[in-house]
Every structure is written in C-alpha cells, then in structure tokens.
Amino acid sequence: MMRMTDQLVRIASAGGGMKLSMQGMMTDQLVRIAAAAAKGGGQIILVYVGSTMTDQLVRIANAGQGRVIFDFTS
C-alpha cells in the first residue's frame, strides 16, 4: 500500500527512514519528504532515479541536506 505524501512527511519528520521509488511521484512531493527527513534526522533512499533530470535530483538533494541517497543501480 502506497502511503500519501502527508503521511510520508509525518514519518520522515519523526525520524523514520524509508526507501521510496521515484516512479509515480512528483518532484515536489519528494522535496517535501526530503525536507522532513532533514528536519527529523531520517534517511531517504530513492530508487529508479535513472530517468529523472539532474535538476530535479539536485532540488531533492538540497531539501534533504545530506539525508537522501539516490540509487542509480535500479
């Protein structure tokens, strides 16, 4: 079951880490989740990033302040 963005933000704000697929998610959603992880101290791992534009990945990374890992192998 896929959680709604607001639920993922709450989990990340509480310090929860998670592995998410970029497929089917908008950059703005991932920026919100990454920013919440930065605030809460959780780690976010993003998979299926190969077709995502570099500028989008940079936005997510900036919001995450070191709390985001991009998995380019999947």
Side-chain angles (χ1 to χ4, degrees):
M1 174 180 105
M2 180 60 186
R3 305 245 178 230
M4 301 298 291
T5 303
D6 289 340
Q7 294 170 320
L8 296 173
V9 167
R10 285 183 58 210
I11 293 167
S13 292
M18 61 192 80
K19 183 176 181 179
L20 300 171
S21 172
M22 292 200 59
Q23 293 177 336
M25 295 194 78
M26 302 297 291
T27 301
D28 289 340
Q29 293 172 301
L30 294 166
V31 165
R32 286 184 56 211
I33 296 165
K39 177 183 170 189
Q43 189 76 42
I44 306 296
I45 300 171
L46 297 175
V47 298
Y48 300 110
V49 300
S51 63
T52 306
M53 295 177 64
T54 300
D55 288 344
Q56 293 171 302
L57 298 176
V58 168
R59 280 187 58 210
I60 296 165
N62 281 332
Q65 299 176 5
R67 297 291 181 172
V68 178
I69 296 173
F70 299 107
D71 182 351
F72 288 96
T73 64
S74 53

